[in-house]
Amino acid sequence: DGGITQSPKYLFRKEGQNVTLSCEQNLNHDAMYWYRQDPGQGLRLIYYSQIVNDFQKGDIAEGYSVSREKKESFPLTVTSAQKNPTAFYLCASFRGNGYTFGSGTRLTVV
Amino acid sequence: SQKIEQNSEALNIQEGKTATLTCNYTNYSPAYLQWYRQDPGRGPVFLLLIRENEKEKRKERLKVTFDTTLKQSLFHITASQPADSATYLCATTRNRDDKIIFGKGTRLHILP
């Protein structure tokens, strides 16, 4: 079945560390997105990519970086510059009527 | 600024009744409005999309309405079941290529 695979499901980061969250899709969708979700908050857009080798900042891009070297892959790096990285991270792709989301990665700073 | 608002309080509905959730938007004229279901610890799942020129859209026990005058969408689940308990998110976009704005979601509890 086609879908979006995010890994790992849980990730623990030490202070000052960079970590990379994986997002892979086999839906052949051009557009991919990264959202952050905090308790009681809506989804906030971090970065998005409409096409390979191109990406745009979302509303809360500071402290994050992405790459889009392949259509299927859109990894997100949470850098040490992100002061409050503990959150639930969701990757999505879009074509047609609605988003297809992955199952998320829960990142915790220890 | 553009806002999309959903009831922040949880909604408790007796099994078998119709659950109705509300989504309001301000300073915005969306061309599309979407509804998603999210279970704890999972990603949202797309349910329905309704266009600005559509009054109503149905899918099985789900019904969505879109009132551009009131700037509101209503999401109905008829003959509700405990398995319908989840958080429901609405989202809007001006066009298919535009950024989508999500509401914070309404938590729905269907009581057996």
Side-chain angles (χ1 to χ4, degrees):
Chain A
D1 287 337
I4 294 187
T5 301
Q6 288 188 243
S7 62
K9 189 170 178 65
Y10 299 97
L11 186 57
F12 298 90
R13 192 194 93 166
K14 294 182 180 179
E15 296 280 352
Q17 251 185 353
N18 292 353
V19 290
T20 298
L21 283 60
S22 171
C23 176
E24 302 282 329
Q25 56 110 348
N26 60 2
L27 298 164
N28 200 33
H29 289 173
D30 287 313
M32 296 186 74
Y33 302 78
W34 274 105
Y35 284 91
R36 169 180 172 145
Q37 188 174 38
D38 296 281
Q41 298 292 319
L43 277 70
R44 292 186 290 168
L45 182 63
I46 304 173
Y47 267 98
Y48 63 103
S49 169
Q50 303 275 30
I51 198 168
V52 174
N53 291 323
D54 185 51
F55 47 83
Q56 307 294 331
K57 291 182 179 180
D59 302 318
I60 55 165
E62 185 175 351
Y64 299 98
S65 66
V66 293
S67 63
R68 187 84 187 277
E69 297 176 1
K70 298 186 301 181
K71 189 175 187 177
E72 301 80 15
S73 180
F74 191 39
L76 174 74
T77 297
V78 184
T79 74
S80 57
Q82 170 49 239
K83 298 306 178 189
N84 186 23
T86 294
F88 188 49
Y89 290 86
L90 287 160
C91 179
S93 68
F94 182 86
R95 189 169 74 183
N97 290 333
Y99 279 128
T100 300
F101 283 89
S103 56
T105 293
R106 188 166 299 279
L107 173 64
T108 304
V109 174
V110 296
Chain B
S1 63
Q2 300 155 355
K3 286 186 179 179
I4 181 167
E5 295 178 344
Q6 298 183 253
N7 287 349
S8 58
E9 295 181 8
L11 184 63
N12 296 320
I13 299 294
Q14 203 67 39
E15 181 178 5
K17 302 292 187 184
T18 296
T20 299
L21 285 67
T22 304
C23 177
N24 296 295
Y25 56 92
T26 56
N27 300 324
Y28 201 50
S29 297
Y32 303 88
L33 196 142
Q34 305 168 3
W35 283 90
Y36 293 80
R37 169 185 173 138
Q38 186 175 23
D39 291 287
R42 308 293 297 272
V45 174
F46 172 72
L47 296 174
L48 281 168
L49 175 144
I50 187 166
R51 296 174 174 80
E52 61 178 339
N53 62 350
E54 296 176 319
K55 297 287 187 190
E56 182 178 298
K57 184 73 74 74
R58 291 177 184 263
K59 178 183 176 182
E60 298 172 352
R61 294 185 295 112
L62 308 180
K63 184 178 84 171
V64 172
T65 62
F66 194 2
D67 189 326
T68 55
T69 301
L70 294 178
K71 295 186 181 295
Q72 181 180 82
S73 174
L74 298 179
F75 177 81
H76 307 272
I77 304 177
T78 59
S80 59
Q81 304 166 2
D84 295 325
S85 299
T87 296
Y88 291 86
L89 309 174
C90 71
T92 68
T93 182
R94 281 186 291 266
N95 57 60
R96 287 185 184 275
D97 296 326
D98 210 356
K99 284 191 309 183
I100 295 178
I101 302 173
F102 283 85
K104 294 181 181 181
T106 297
R107 190 176 304 173
L108 175 65
H109 298 293
I110 305 300
L111 307 174

